[in-house]
Amino acid sequence: MSKDHHIIIVKKKKRGHHDEHHGGAWKVAFADFAVAMMAFFMVLWLMGITTQEERLIIEKRLQTATVFDNIFEITNSPFPIDFDGSMSPFEKPMSELSSGEERFGSSMFNKSSQGSEKGGRNRKLNSAIAGKHLSTPELSVLAKAISQIAEELSASENIVLEIVPQGLRILIQDDDDHFMYERGSVELTPFFEDMLFNIAPILGQIQNRMVISGHTDSTRFKRQDYSNWDLSGARALKARQVLVDSGLPKSNVLQVVAMAERTPVYKEDTRSGKNRRIEMMVLTKEADEQLALLFGKGQIDESEGQAVENARRFAESNRPVSRLDMLVN
């Protein structure tokens, strides 16, 4: 009797390493997760040890610094990274959830419009110049009054005054502690609203008209439908509106100008925050007339129209007559 023998065949599979299928990608993901958790706990730690004022400063730095500029420079570009013309997904929620007033406090300008604050703006100019059209030497008195206001507001670093042949140049600019506009916005921060709120009544006590110009640095917008021209013009118009709402007569503004980055005050670095500013030129009567003549025949007040016409007739009737004119006529 033959015996059946069962043959057992054992197949051995060579198992590959687990890493060969995944290529070690999990290590990169884990490293990203660890970095994110470290950043999260650092934020919690900072929230615990800082004051509200320090948090606002940190927030401002995070919103304004870019990887291309000095971290302490404030650029006028609305977004630190180009999102193809769209707002950063990290910046948008913050802008929507908190207004400038909530983030930086309310200004005297806003309180005055609500009827709860009048502000210390009762300063009067010397009666010898109040209500008059000031000449270049007389504008130095106006400059002194504005300088005193700047000192009271702790804004001496933000206002530059210069007497030039055309009038009084008032330059309002950012510094390391204060910036005039929120990033990519035309909304004035409370510090600069208060500045214009207090200057407006002084400028309204004289007859000199002014030109308001907006300036940016040379940082370009990535969007095709908006540029530094648009931004500088909109900011200058905003400054004019705040001045008018604060007591400056509308007739005192002759022109509002957008200058973009064309006239930097700090030419060594055209992207510097020193070039982001608002300028107000309080014009002498001569400069006012010359500027008006650039846009036609100029404007003559109705009260002066008859006097000018009488003077013209008097000059024509008393002009010298030559012998040739006598023979012809």
Side-chain angles (χ1 to χ4, degrees):
M1 182 176 175
S2 63
K3 231 182 218 185
D4 294 331
H5 296 284
H6 297 283
I7 301 173
I8 300 173
I9 301 174
V10 178
K11 293 183 178 180
K12 293 185 178 181
K13 280 188 176 181
K14 184 178 180 182
R15 296 186 178 181
H17 294 291
H18 185 70
D19 287 345
E20 292 178 358
H21 297 286
H22 297 281
W26 68 272
K27 297 178 181 179
V28 177
F30 181 79
D32 291 341
F33 173 78
V35 172
M37 291 301 297
M38 181 179 66
F40 174 70
F41 284 110
M42 285 189 67
V43 171
L44 293 180
W45 174 68
L46 286 173
M47 292 291 289
I49 66 170
T50 56
T51 64
Q52 180 65 20
E53 182 179 0
E54 290 172 335
R55 292 171 194 166
L56 290 174
I57 295 174
I58 293 172
E59 178 188 0
K60 183 184 77 170
R61 295 301 185 193
L62 290 175
Q63 286 188 333
T64 57
T66 75
V67 296
F68 304 105
D69 298 336
N70 185 324
I71 192 170
F72 297 105
E73 280 291 331
I74 302 171
T75 66
N76 64 13
S77 174
F79 318 117
I81 303 175
D82 177 23
F83 287 89
D84 195 22
S86 302
M87 183 174 288
S88 162
F90 302 103
E91 186 176 8
K92 185 174 182 180
M94 183 176 297
S95 300
E96 290 180 346
L97 294 176
S98 58
S99 65
E101 182 173 329
E102 292 171 344
R103 292 163 57 192
F104 302 106
S106 181
S107 65
M108 287 188 289
F109 171 76
N110 287 330
K111 290 180 180 179
S112 177
S113 63
Q114 297 167 4
S116 60
E117 179 66 50
K118 295 301 181 185
R121 329 186 296 144
N122 296 324
R123 186 185 305 277
K124 300 294 182 181
L125 284 176
N126 189 314
S127 58
I129 63 172
K132 297 183 178 180
H133 206 297
L134 306 187
S135 62
T136 301
E138 292 172 332
L139 285 171
S140 60
V141 180
L142 175 65
K144 184 177 180 181
I146 295 176
S147 179
Q148 291 174 349
I149 292 176
E151 291 179 5
E152 294 172 3
L153 297 174
S154 301
S156 297
E157 297 296 324
N158 303 98
I159 297 183
V160 178
L161 303 169
E162 183 182 5
I163 300 291
V164 296
Q166 294 78 21
L168 172 62
R169 182 187 183 201
I170 306 172
L171 188 153
I172 302 178
Q173 61 185 5
D174 296 354
D175 64 9
D176 292 336
D177 298 321
H178 303 97
F179 59 105
M180 192 179 307
Y181 295 92
E182 295 187 51
R183 189 177 194 81
S185 169
V186 300
E187 295 300 320
L188 280 162
T189 55
F191 180 80
F192 286 92
E193 275 189 346
D194 287 343
M195 192 183 303
L196 298 180
F197 178 72
N198 284 274
I199 291 176
I202 295 293
L203 297 175
Q205 295 178 41
I206 60 175
Q207 294 184 8
N208 300 61
R209 295 195 293 183
M210 69 170 64
V211 173
I212 303 174
S213 58
H215 303 258
T216 67
D217 62 22
S218 61
T219 304
R220 302 285 183 177
F221 277 83
K222 298 297 183 181
R223 291 168 49 185
Q224 298 296 323
D225 60 338
Y226 202 82
S227 68
N228 285 336
W229 289 103
D230 301 282
L231 183 64
S232 61
R235 287 178 170 178
L237 286 170
K238 178 64 177 180
R240 173 205 168 271
Q241 188 61 53
V242 172
L243 287 167
V244 170
D245 291 344
S246 301
L248 180 72
K250 294 181 179 180
S251 58
N252 277 33
V253 180
L254 174 62
Q255 190 178 41
V256 178
V257 185
M259 295 296 294
E261 72 280 359
R262 301 303 295 272
T263 55
V265 293
Y266 190 63
K267 297 182 180 179
E268 291 79 3
D269 181 9
T270 58
R271 300 179 69 179
S272 170
K274 296 179 181 179
N275 295 317
R276 295 186 289 273
R277 66 196 190 278
I278 291 292
E279 289 194 16
M280 297 181 289
M281 177 67 76
V282 181
L283 302 169
T284 61
K285 189 172 184 178
E286 294 76 15
D288 188 308
E289 293 173 349
Q290 290 175 2
L291 181 59
L293 287 172
L294 291 175
F295 302 96
K297 296 182 179 180
Q299 297 180 353
I300 300 176
D301 293 339
E302 293 181 1
S303 60
E304 299 178 356
Q306 189 60 42
V308 172
E309 180 63 21
N310 292 339
R312 184 185 65 79
R313 291 177 180 177
F314 178 81
E316 289 181 351
S317 62
N318 290 278
R319 66 184 179 86
V321 180
S322 66
R323 183 175 300 178
L324 179 60
D325 290 334
M326 295 178 65
L327 292 175
V328 172
N329 296 329

